[in-house]
């Protein structure tokens, strides 16, 4: 797959997670964006590849952080 196509897929999946946070929790758009940024930083620390499971894992990580009443970094 081309890098451009990979990036489009990554951004579409990120947008889907952000949209889910907005619609299912009523989260502020800026906060949802910061959670997505926080996941990308966490995934980089863990050395995770941006494969097809990347945003599924991100959704679970964000849900876990929110359930623990944590707040995204600024």
């Amino acid at each position: 797959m081309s890098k451009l196509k990979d990036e489009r897929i990554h951004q579409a999946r990120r947008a889907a997670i952000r949209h889910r946070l907005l619609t299912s929790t009523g989260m502020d758009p800026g906060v949802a964006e910061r959670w997505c940024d926080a996941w990308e930083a966490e995934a980089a620390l863990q050395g995770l590849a941006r494969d097809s499971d990347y945003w599924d894992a991100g959704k679970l990580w964000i849900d876990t952080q929110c359930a623990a009443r944590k707040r995204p970094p600024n």
Side-chain angles (χ1 to χ4, degrees):
M1 235 185 281
S2 73
K3 286 185 180 186
L4 181 58
K5 186 174 181 182
D6 287 345
E7 184 59 26
R8 283 188 201 149
I9 291 169
H10 176 79
Q11 290 303 321
R13 289 178 176 157
R14 178 186 168 107
I17 295 299
R18 187 175 52 247
H19 179 74
R20 185 192 59 82
L21 291 170
L22 296 173
T23 59
S24 69
T25 68
M27 189 177 285
D28 178 78
V31 173
E33 187 67 28
R34 289 196 338 253
W35 273 122
C36 290
D37 291 343
W39 163 246
E40 289 187 313
E42 177 65 22
L45 286 173
Q46 292 182 26
L48 299 179
R50 284 183 168 189
D51 60 12
S52 61
D53 296 326
Y54 183 87
W55 281 106
D56 291 333
K59 177 187 175 299
L60 293 174
W61 183 84
I62 293 168
D63 289 347
T64 300
Q65 299 302 305
C66 290
R69 302 215 183 263
K70 293 186 179 178
R71 296 168 12 134
N74 289 325

